[in-house]
């Protein structure tokens, strides 16, 4: 995992812990506190899903790029081999 991904995940985890701690120490009724915890947990889950989806998209893009480069190199190799064979057969 890249350092950037670790930093983002660490920040999200820290924000979640801070939000939950703040809610738990707030002078609200229990039902209000539970609603806030549920909402914050849902929000953090959505942010985590978004971050993970971005990470997956980045990996997919890099895979496609590498695959295309390999295919191009392979195609150049085929053309080069074909050209060499054609030259040899003419001589």
């Amino acid at each position: 995992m890249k350092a950037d991904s670790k930093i983002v995940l660490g920040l999200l985890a820290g924000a979640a812990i801070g939000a939950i701690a703040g809610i738990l120490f707030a002078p609200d009724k229990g039902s209000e506190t539970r609603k806030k915890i549920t909402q914050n947990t849902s929000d953090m889950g959505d942010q985590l899903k978004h971050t993970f989806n971005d990470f997956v998209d980045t990996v997919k893009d890099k895979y496609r790029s590498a695959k295309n480069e390999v295919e191009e190199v392979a195609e150049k190799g085929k053309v080069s081999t074909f050209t060499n064979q054609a030259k040899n057969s003419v001589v």
Side-chain angles (χ1 to χ4, degrees), residues 50-65:
H50 179 71
T51 302
F52 180 74
N53 288 336
D54 287 346
F55 174 73
V56 169
D57 290 341
T58 300
V59 170
K60 285 180 181 179
D61 289 343
K62 289 184 179 188
Y63 170 78
R64 285 186 194 117
S65 177

Side-chain angles (χ1 to χ4, degrees), residues 6-28:
K6 289 180 182 179
I7 291 171
V8 170
L9 289 176
L11 289 173
L12 286 174
I17 292 168
I20 290 172
I23 290 170
L24 290 174
F25 291 110
D28 285 337

